[in-house]
């Protein structure tokens, strides 16, 4: 009798002990989770450039606040984020990077390396890569690839997919919403792509001149030749300018572009010599689709 009472007491103690063992780690986990809640609730996604805000906002439909690092007038190749922006990146939920911009691999890498809660979305993953000629984006690690990946509807589809995958991890409850937005976006990109292809078919293999080589992916995808004014990220010397002028004549250049964020001095000189107009474009525009359509329209109006 005594023995069974003793056994009961032992088994009760073991039971209490096992409960404590089970409850205590759960309680610690719960309080630890509460401690990090502030970061989870801060639903801001930061992106490097405006075209990435365009696609991110298309997918998120207001579920996240989306902020761009590079201001309109700045070139992302040479831009340095402000201390306030660096602080905001450390506090945000996710950061969408192009993958090969100067500041992404210097200032921002330092922040992201020290912010384990931060999701990094590499927009360029699985996109078509092109070699970059005569151009320096202030980054020694991108292996000479053309960073302007967003200037192609087919690449934009892949960028959207990369962002979508991460959104589903960040906000699984709304995964269905993000999926339908992704499908709508992909459809729009296919329509834009085939329309552009049809429209540019009549000027296949034609060349255009641009101050900064932002249309490499566009030119490659639509069988056009991009002639860039910049050489190693710098304005050409008088000798190089003369050679460029000859090259433009040789290829029968009829369209001259100037990206707003870069110097138009050289292209203006060539335009004067050839009796052409300089068309100002903004490949870093938030209204990415309109800008793509405008570029196609300019190429056709001669
Ligand atoms: Zn550029």
């Amino acid at each position: 009798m005594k023995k069974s009472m003793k056994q009961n007491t032992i088994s009760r103690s073991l039971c209490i002990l096992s409960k404590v063992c089970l409850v205590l780690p759960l309680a610690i986990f719960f309080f630890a989770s509460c401690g990090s809640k502030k970061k989870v609730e801060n639903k801001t996604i930061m992106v490097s450039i405006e075209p990435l805000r365009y696609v991110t906002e298309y997918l998120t439909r207001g579920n996240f606040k989306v902020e761009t690092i590079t201001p309109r007038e700045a070139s992302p190749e040479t831009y340095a984020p402000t201390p306030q922006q660096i602080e905001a990146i450390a506090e945000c939920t996710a950061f969408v990077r192009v993958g090969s911009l100067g500041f992404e691999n210097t200032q921002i890498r330092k922040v992201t390396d020290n912010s384990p809660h931060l999701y990094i979305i590499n927009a360029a993953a699985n996109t078509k890569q092109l070699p970059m000629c005569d151009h320096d984006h202030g980054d020694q690690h991108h292996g000479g690839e053309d960073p302007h990946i967003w200037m192609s509807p087919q690449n934009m589809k892949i960028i959207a997919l990369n962002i979508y995958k991460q959104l589903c991890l960040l906000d699984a409850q709304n995964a269905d919403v993000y999926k339908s937005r992704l499908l709508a976006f992909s459809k729009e990109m296919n329509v834009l792509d085939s329309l552009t292809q049809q429209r540019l078919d009549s000027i296949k293999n034609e060349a255009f001149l641009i101050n900064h080589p932002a249309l490499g992916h566009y030119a490659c995808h639509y069988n056009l030749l991009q002639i860039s004014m910049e050489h190693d990220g710098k304005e050409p010397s008088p000798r190089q300018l003369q050679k460029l002028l000859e090259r433009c004549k040789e290829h029968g250049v009829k369209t001259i572009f100037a990206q707003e964020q870069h110097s138009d001095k050289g292209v203006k000189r060539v335009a004067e010599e050839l009796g052409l107009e300089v068309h100002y474009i903004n490949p870093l525009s938030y209204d990415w689709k309109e800008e793509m359509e405008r570029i196609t329209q300019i190429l056709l109006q001669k």
Side-chain angles (χ1 to χ4, degrees):
M1 184 70 180
K2 258 189 179 174
K3 203 181 171 189
S4 85
M5 265 180 73
K6 200 180 172 189
Q7 268 179 344
N8 270 348
T9 315
I10 291 169
S11 66
R12 216 175 295 138
S13 309
L14 279 172
C15 182
I16 291 166
L17 190 67
S18 70
K19 276 180 185 160
V20 167
C21 288
L22 188 73
V23 169
L24 196 65
L26 278 175
I28 290 169
F29 176 75
F30 176 75
F31 286 114
S33 305
C34 287
S36 62
K37 212 170 175 186
K38 192 183 154 227
K39 279 166 189 165
V40 178
E41 279 176 355
N42 182 5
K43 290 175 87 177
T44 299
I45 297 177
M46 298 208 59
V47 301
S48 289
I49 53 167
E50 284 284 84
L52 293 182
R53 184 165 72 90
Y54 164 75
V55 54
T56 308
E57 283 186 349
Y58 189 108
L59 298 174
T60 57
R61 278 212 133 175
N63 284 353
F64 289 83
K65 192 174 162 204
V66 187
E67 284 177 10
T68 306
I69 292 169
T70 310
R72 187 192 163 111
E73 67 287 355
S75 154
E77 289 90 340
T78 49
Y79 184 67
T82 64
Q84 288 88 342
Q85 285 180 315
I86 297 283
E87 212 173 286
I89 294 161
E91 287 291 311
C92 74
T93 306
F95 170 57
V96 188
R97 46 182 269 146
V98 174
S100 54
L101 296 175
F103 68 76
E104 291 178 342
N105 293 310
T106 50
Q107 290 109 310
I108 290 180
R109 178 160 282 173
K110 279 185 206 156
V111 183
T112 53
D113 284 353
N114 294 313
S115 306
H117 73 278
L118 185 62
Y119 283 82
I120 310 295
I121 305 171
N122 188 13
N126 304 316
T127 54
K128 187 181 174 183
Q129 298 292 322
L130 283 177
M132 179 93 261
C133 303
D134 304 335
H135 185 49
D136 178 13
H137 261 250
D139 169 35
Q140 282 106 47
H141 308 288
H142 69 76
E145 279 159 359
D146 185 339
H148 309 94
I149 48 158
W150 64 93
M151 293 310 282
S152 138
Q154 289 306 326
N155 269 352
M156 266 305 226
K157 257 168 66 177
I158 301 166
I159 291 170
L161 180 67
N162 292 334
I163 298 168
Y164 158 79
K165 282 183 193 163
Q166 204 64 59
L167 285 175
C168 292
L169 294 176
L170 285 170
D171 185 18
Q173 274 186 329
N174 285 310
D176 284 351
V177 177
Y178 302 137
K179 193 170 186 179
S180 69
R181 295 299 290 162
L182 175 74
L183 292 175
F185 187 80
S186 301
K187 226 183 233 176
E188 263 190 42
M189 291 303 104
N190 285 341
V191 171
L192 174 69
D193 189 27
S194 57
L195 272 177
T196 311
Q197 198 91 55
Q198 274 172 34
R199 295 176 75 198
L200 293 177
D201 202 48
S202 58
I203 59 161
K204 225 182 217 173
N205 303 320
E206 279 194 13
F208 61 84
L209 175 71
I210 188 163
N211 59 343
H212 174 83
L215 300 182
H217 281 270
Y218 179 95
C220 175
H221 193 66
Y222 298 114
N223 300 305
L224 298 164
L225 175 68
Q226 170 180 254
I227 300 177
S228 170
M229 179 62 68
E230 270 182 18
H231 182 78
D232 281 338
K234 294 179 206 107
E235 283 281 298
S237 64
R239 212 174 130 248
Q240 284 167 332
L241 192 71
Q242 193 53 40
K243 269 192 169 177
L244 265 167
L245 184 63
E246 279 159 28
R247 204 167 161 222
C248 287
K249 283 181 183 165
E250 189 190 315
H251 287 280
V253 163
K254 294 184 195 82
T255 307
I256 299 182
F257 290 114
Q259 181 178 336
E260 283 176 16
Q261 293 81 3
H262 296 263
S263 165
D264 62 354
K265 228 171 85 189
V267 281
K268 268 182 164 172
R269 290 267 310 273
V270 175
E272 268 171 38
E273 292 275 348
L274 298 177
L276 296 170
E277 189 188 337
V278 176
H279 298 275
Y280 291 84
I281 57 166
N282 183 13
L284 294 162
S285 171
Y286 175 79
D287 300 314
W288 175 87
K289 200 178 159 199
E290 281 75 16
E291 200 59 16
M292 288 290 278
E293 283 168 337
R294 205 169 71 84
I295 290 165
T296 305
Q297 192 56 42
I298 293 168
L299 281 161
L300 292 168
Q301 56 174 253
K302 325 179 257 276

